[in-house]
């Protein structure tokens, strides 16, 4: 029996460490995927901490959601190595991206196709062991998507940062012909959003980030203009440049980023929030009707949207975001670099 090597979360707030177990044998419809690439996502930091910061001293404890040791990692691509007796054996050897946002499959939310929002979910790398490992067990082949001719290291992050950005931008399509879309926060998801926005929308987007290097990278990747939201003049500058923004995406999700983003909206404007940085956001309640403002949250995307995204990535020559490959043994170092803000684009752990 082959070995399952994992970079495991053994205690919250502690560094990952390697654990070795027997490789699981797929049963029924299950499929065993040998992991080629696994993206390192900002939400992995929250999972390692065991909580989300809600603002002030408030924390959302998420330590009850999984048993330790646990394997993080939800941006997975790999090769089908074994199948259960009810799964098609012809799948063996296929190279696939793994849709990780797997629901219970039976509730009303799942039956409507929104497994990513299931309250009894089995999300890989969140509730069920994920991809910081040599292998990952997937409950059904329907969650495996062909990604050729894309690169494995590009397909993997599409399943979280790409899908999150895509699902958010889709909710702005009806407003995107009324001026450039504003993208706030240029981490992995924001940079992916920039690449997708260029393919989806008529005008190149404008961007905002407090980090000069990230603004530079965004301009090089085709952003029309870049703003520094920590500059007190930035709000005025965006309003002058655009006359007010109709469609914005907040990839940060903090009190400051939402203050900035809602502050530059035009009347009838909409902001979609995907970021989970935390904090408390307050707004003068009357501004919501006065500005006819929409604030909508999204959480990753559906399986159907994952297929749409791969089709888009194949057809529209999406420029892959800057990607750094590191060996799996450097998972903790990659998380440390991400936490310290030292990562431009995406880090992908690679076998
Ligand atoms: Zn993620
Ligand atoms: Zn469900």
């Amino acid at each position: 029996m082959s070995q399952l090597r994992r970079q495991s979360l053994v205690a919250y707030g502690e560094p990952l460490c390697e654990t070795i177990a027997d490789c699981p044998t797929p049963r029924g419809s299950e499929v065993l995927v040998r992991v080629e690439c696994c993206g390192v996502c900002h939400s992995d930091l929250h999972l390692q901490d065991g909580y989300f910061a809600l603002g002030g001293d408030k924390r959302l404890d998420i330590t009850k959601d999984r048993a330790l040791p646990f394997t993080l990692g939800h941006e997975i691509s790999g090769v089908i190595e074994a199948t259960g007796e009810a799964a098609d054996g012809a799948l063996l050897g296929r190279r696939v991206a793994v849709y990780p946002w797997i629901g219970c499959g039976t509730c009303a939310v799942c039956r409507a196709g929104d497994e990513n929002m299931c309250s009894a979910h089995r999300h890989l790398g969140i509730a069920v062991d994920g991809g910081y490992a040599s292998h990952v067990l997937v409950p059904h082949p329907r969650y495996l998507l062909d990604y050729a001719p894309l690169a494995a290291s590009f397909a993997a992050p599409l399943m979280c940062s790409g899908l999150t950005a895509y699902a958010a931008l889709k909710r702005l399509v009806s407003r995107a012909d009324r001026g450039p879309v504003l993208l706030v926060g240029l981490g992995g998801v924001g940079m992916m959003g920039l690449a997708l926005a260029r393919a989806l929308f008529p005008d190149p987007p404008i961007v905002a980030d407090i980090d000069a290097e990230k603004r530079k990278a965004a301009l090089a990747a085709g952003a029309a203009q870049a703003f520094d939201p920590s500059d007190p003049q930035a709000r005025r500058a965006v309003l002058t440049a655009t006359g007010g923004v109709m469609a914005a995406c907040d990839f940060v999700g903090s009190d400051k980023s939402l203050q900035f983003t809602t502050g530059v909206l035009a009347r009838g404007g909409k902001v979609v929030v995907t970021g989970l940085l935390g904090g408390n956001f307050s707004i003068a309640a009357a501004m919501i009707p006065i500005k006819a403002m929409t604030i909508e949250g999204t959480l990753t995307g559906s399986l159907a949207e994952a297929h749409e995204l791969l089709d888009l990535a194949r057809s529209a020559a999406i420029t892959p975001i800057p990607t750094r490959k590191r060996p799996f043994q450097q998972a903790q170092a990659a998380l440390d670099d991400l936490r310290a803000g030292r990562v431009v684009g995406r880090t992908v752990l690679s076998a």
Side-chain angles (χ1 to χ4, degrees):
M1 179 173 284
S2 60
Q3 278 185 333
L4 172 65
R5 301 181 81 89
R6 310 170 289 194
Q7 298 298 316
S8 292
L9 179 65
V10 292
Y12 290 100
E14 297 293 325
L16 303 183
C17 72
E18 184 167 85
T19 62
I20 297 174
D22 287 338
C23 230
T25 303
R27 304 195 189 285
S29 64
E30 289 176 343
V31 179
L32 184 70
V33 174
R34 177 165 50 78
V35 179
E36 286 194 295
C37 292
C38 188
V40 178
C41 176
H42 206 273
S43 62
D44 294 333
L45 299 175
H46 300 298
L47 291 164
Q48 185 168 34
D49 292 338
Y51 64 86
F52 284 97
L54 294 179
D57 295 332
K58 282 199 208 117
R59 290 173 168 189
L60 175 65
D61 179 30
I62 52 169
T63 59
K64 308 282 181 289
D65 300 346
R66 64 201 64 77
L68 301 183
F70 182 78
T71 312
L72 300 171
H74 52 265
E75 299 187 343
I76 307 162
S77 62
V79 182
I80 298 178
E81 190 167 280
T83 56
E85 61 281 3
D88 184 356
L91 296 169
L92 291 175
R94 244 175 65 190
R95 301 183 74 205
V96 290
V98 181
Y99 176 80
W101 313 115
I102 298 168
C104 71
T106 56
C107 73
V109 173
C110 284
R111 289 202 312 273
D114 296 321
E115 293 191 50
N116 52 312
M117 295 202 277
C118 174
S119 56
H121 68 79
R122 301 172 286 167
H123 294 174
L124 299 180
I126 311 292
V128 175
D129 281 332
Y132 286 12
S134 57
H135 298 79
V136 65
L137 196 61
V138 180
H140 194 280
R142 67 192 294 263
Y143 303 112
L144 304 175
L145 292 77
D146 289 312
Y147 62 77
L150 307 174
S153 60
F154 178 47
L158 286 182
M159 292 298 106
C160 176
S161 60
L163 188 54
T164 298
Y166 174 73
L169 294 177
K170 237 181 98 169
R171 285 155 176 80
L172 297 172
V173 165
S174 65
R175 288 170 170 83
D177 58 354
R178 290 189 260 168
V181 171
L182 169 66
L183 309 177
V184 177
L186 300 167
V189 184
M191 287 299 283
M192 193 72 89
L194 173 58
L196 296 173
R198 295 200 61 211
L200 286 169
F201 302 144
D203 299 318
I206 60 174
V207 298
D209 196 287
I210 55 174
D211 183 333
E213 203 180 326
K214 288 179 178 152
R215 292 197 300 274
K216 210 170 111 188
L219 288 169
Q225 263 184 294
F227 300 89
D228 175 4
S230 67
D231 175 352
Q233 303 302 318
R235 181 172 168 271
R236 179 59 41 204
V238 173
L239 290 172
T240 304
T242 62
V245 169
M246 280 305 295
C249 199
D250 185 342
F251 296 113
V252 181
S254 72
D255 44 354
K256 282 193 179 129
S257 70
L258 268 164
Q259 290 293 351
F260 177 75
T261 311
T262 54
V264 298
L265 286 186
R267 185 167 283 171
K270 176 173 178 178
V271 52
V272 177
V273 187
T274 72
L276 296 163
L277 192 64
N280 271 326
F281 164 63
S282 71
I283 187 167
M287 290 310 285
I288 297 173
I290 287 170
K291 281 187 118 178
M293 180 189 296
T294 305
I295 302 176
E296 181 173 341
T298 56
L299 186 65
T300 69
S302 67
L303 180 58
E305 285 169 335
H307 281 284
E308 289 169 22
L309 173 60
L310 281 173
D311 287 345
L312 177 70
R314 272 190 282 260
S315 68
I318 306 291
T319 316
I321 64 167
T323 300
R324 179 180 176 194
K325 282 193 193 176
R326 303 181 75 160
F328 275 90
Q329 291 76 10
Q330 291 181 17
Q332 185 56 49
L335 288 169
D336 292 341
D337 285 344
L338 188 60
R339 194 184 290 272
R342 289 191 290 260
V343 176
V344 173
R346 208 64 171 170
T347 302
V348 173
L349 303 175
S350 192

